[in-house]
Amino acid sequence: MQAQVKTTILNIFQVSDALSEAMYYVKRQIEKDKELELFRLITDIYNGVKSIEKALLALGGNLYRRDTAIKGTNLKNDLRSIIKGYQEENLGKIKEKISRHLYFDFINWRKEINDSLKNYLFQSRPRRTPHGKITIGYMDINPKEDIDFKTVSAYIASFHGVDFFHFTYKDIDFKRKKINGFVLHGDSWVRKELDYPDVIFDRLRMRGHQPFQKIYDEFVDIPFTNDRKGGSLSKLEAYDLIASSGCFGEYLIPYHEINDADIIWDYLDRYHKIVVKPLEGSFGSGVIYIGKLQDQYFEIIMGKTRNIASRSELSALFAKIMEASSEFLVQKYVASRTPDGYPFDIRVHTSKNRLGIWSLAGTVVRIGPVNSIVTNVVAGGSTCDLSTFFPRVFDKDKYQEFYERLIMFALLFSTYFESLIGENIDHIGLDLAVDEQMQIYLIEVNVNRVNLFPLFQLHTARHMVQYATYLAEKYLPEK
């Protein structure tokens, strides 16, 4: 089976699962007479059905049978009618269409598609390595770094019948094709001479950089979970990729690279509240909030410090920004704050799974100090589970709809963003703001050495082991 065809099929499964969960939520909300809250979700479902049909038709063959296609057309017609009902404010039409078999029509359509794809996808059993076990090598820069994550990964690998060891670039014996790595023995990591692994989880992330490139050249015949060149993707690069693609633009916060102080003044006049941030950097370092006050005065927040500045003092700050060695961008400020004034954002982690497709690894809410503009835990912030946090800020009855929308965005975006950068990646961290209307906005896309939150370690390790196993089996030579 061609790798591209298989990837397309697995992505269809992922979107189909997300749509199924969303459709079930719609069914439950209609039973509670809450059809007014569902317009955006219905629209997302309609677009999701269209994307599945488009992918199936592109695959060709008999994967999308004629009778299944007719059911898909009827389903789209019903969804279009519901959307029109919202536009015409015809609540009777909305409830009638949703209540009348819509959920069951969708489930039947989805089942026929899944059955057809499974028959095609799973016609052969996964192959094993010549010595009977797959071996995962975890490559890092420091043997003591992320040791808890490595330990969890080793336990999960053992559970799945997979060998696991970690090593650094200094542990490679290029002449003998051996690695002096670490294996878990009981509760302790011990040194052991090992053969090259079947697959490498790359936590080093220095591909394309000297003197590390020789390592990647040495392992050229071994699949990596991440093939992207090392180095972070700047905020501007990520924003420009999304903006130029024509998709997910509604999640972008208006932005502009700063090459002239007039750009900052223009954004301040247009939006009244803005943030200035460096193109490179992490943990919210260097972020400046500027808000217009009355009588030509401005509020400035940097770190935990809040000041009131005159126009001339603000001009002096802009001059310092223009003179700095770092590059900056300016954005409209999105008020992602609790009712009592604490800034928050949502970190969503997505990882590839045992089928090689994007899935959820975890979500966490980060809450910053009340006088701050950033949510960095190191700078005094805290974390909270999303399901616990949501009712304190928004209507608790809208949590499930918001959660479905959040996860659907994260999974669809991860799949699409990987195609934009054109390189295989295995882990994405999305930083998201949420305004008072529960609109989701993208703050940052993290694709390099994504921070391994303790809350996510178990799920991330499980995904890593399963995806690495999938790659090893995929790239084994044919018998």
Side-chain angles (χ1 to χ4, degrees), residues 28-41:
R28 294 294 302 273
Q29 291 301 92
I30 287 297
E31 292 170 354
K32 299 177 183 178
D33 294 323
K34 293 185 176 181
E35 59 272 9
L36 280 175
E37 303 170 4
L38 301 172
F39 173 70
R40 179 160 187 148
L41 196 55

Side-chain angles (χ1 to χ4, degrees), residues 52 183 222 229:
I52 287 177
V183 296
I222 300 175
K229 289 185 178 179

Side-chain angles (χ1 to χ4, degrees), residues 59-331:
L59 289 173
N62 297 318
L63 286 175
Y64 198 34
R65 299 191 304 269
R66 186 174 182 276
D67 54 339
T68 308
I70 292 172
K71 291 178 181 177
T73 299
N74 293 336
L75 181 62
K76 286 190 299 180
N77 288 339
D78 283 343
L79 289 167
R80 267 197 301 262
S81 180
I82 293 167
I83 293 169
K84 186 176 180 182
Y86 277 109
Q87 293 167 341
E88 296 174 348
E89 299 184 359
N90 187 338
L91 299 185
K93 178 189 288 187
I94 295 170
K95 190 157 189 176
E96 176 193 356
K97 287 287 185 181
I98 296 179
S99 300
R100 194 186 63 196
H101 309 303
L102 181 68
Y103 174 72
F104 298 102
D105 288 347
F106 171 81
I107 293 300
N108 289 332
W109 173 77
R110 174 179 178 262
K111 183 179 183 303
E112 289 187 14
I113 290 173
N114 284 3
D115 288 346
S116 176
L117 294 177
K118 284 176 182 177
N119 289 336
Y120 180 77
L121 186 62
F122 300 116
Q123 29 187 322
S124 62
R125 296 177 63 83
R127 292 170 289 114
R128 308 296 289 174
T129 61
H131 52 275
K133 264 192 175 185
I134 285 171
T135 301
I136 299 173
Y138 182 116
M139 184 169 67
D140 207 345
I141 198 166
N142 183 343
K144 296 181 180 180
E145 190 170 81
D146 298 326
I147 197 67
D148 290 340
F149 179 72
K150 293 170 183 172
T151 302
V152 171
S153 299
Y155 284 134
I156 292 175
S158 177
F159 176 80
H160 287 282
V162 174
D163 288 337
F164 179 94
F165 69 90
H166 72 85
F167 67 102
T168 74
Y169 64 96
K170 296 179 180 178
D171 299 326
I172 305 167
D173 186 333
F174 292 90
K175 291 183 179 179
R176 297 176 57 239
K177 306 290 184 184
K178 296 288 185 178
I179 296 175
N180 189 26
F182 293 86
V183 296
L184 190 64
H185 184 73
D187 295 328
S188 302
W189 288 97
V190 296
R191 283 276 189 186
K192 184 178 181 181
E193 186 177 87
L194 302 148
D195 293 329
Y196 283 179
D198 299 302
V199 60
I200 294 175
F201 177 77
D202 183 14
R203 188 67 176 162
L204 178 63
R205 300 292 175 89
M206 294 301 291
R207 184 185 296 274
H209 293 265
Q210 297 300 341
F212 302 99
Q213 182 55 40
K214 68 177 183 180
I215 300 168
Y216 296 92
D217 293 338
E218 176 70 11
F219 295 143
V220 68
D221 294 324
I222 300 175
F224 278 66
T225 57
N226 189 303
D227 294 323
R228 186 175 175 273
K229 289 185 178 179
S232 61
L233 189 71
S234 79
K235 299 175 183 67
L236 185 64
E237 288 174 311
Y239 294 159
D240 284 347
L241 272 176
I242 300 164
S244 61
S245 74
C247 292
F248 295 101
E250 67 271 28
Y251 295 94
L252 282 180
I253 303 170
Y255 72 97
H256 201 291
E257 183 179 10
I258 299 174
N259 44 40
D260 189 298
D262 289 342
I263 293 171
I264 312 177
W265 285 114
D266 176 62
Y267 261 63
L268 195 53
D269 289 338
R270 194 184 311 177
Y271 299 113
H272 303 290
K273 296 179 180 180
I274 61 172
V275 289
V276 174
K277 58 179 72 170
L279 298 187
E280 305 284 352
S282 55
F283 305 113
S285 176
V287 176
I288 306 170
Y289 165 83
I290 305 168
K292 264 189 173 185
L293 302 175
Q294 293 181 345
D295 302 324
Q296 294 294 304
Y297 281 91
F298 303 86
E299 179 185 23
I300 301 174
I301 300 177
M302 292 187 286
K304 296 181 182 179
T305 304
R306 177 181 180 271
N307 292 303
I308 305 298
S310 65
R311 190 175 184 88
S312 60
E313 290 170 328
L314 191 57
S315 293
L317 174 62
F318 292 171
K320 288 183 179 179
I321 291 173
M322 297 308 303
E323 292 170 2
S325 57
S326 301
E327 296 178 294
F328 289 81
L329 63 80
V330 60
Q331 279 187 305

Side-chain angles (χ1 to χ4, degrees), residues 127-128 134 136 160 162 199 225 354 463-474:
R127 292 170 289 114
R128 308 296 289 174
I134 285 171
I136 299 173
H160 287 282
V162 174
V199 60
T225 57
R354 61 185 174 83
H463 282 80
M464 182 272 289
V465 169
Q466 292 180 350
Y467 179 55
T469 303
Y470 157 81
L471 283 179
E473 291 174 337
K474 176 181 176 181

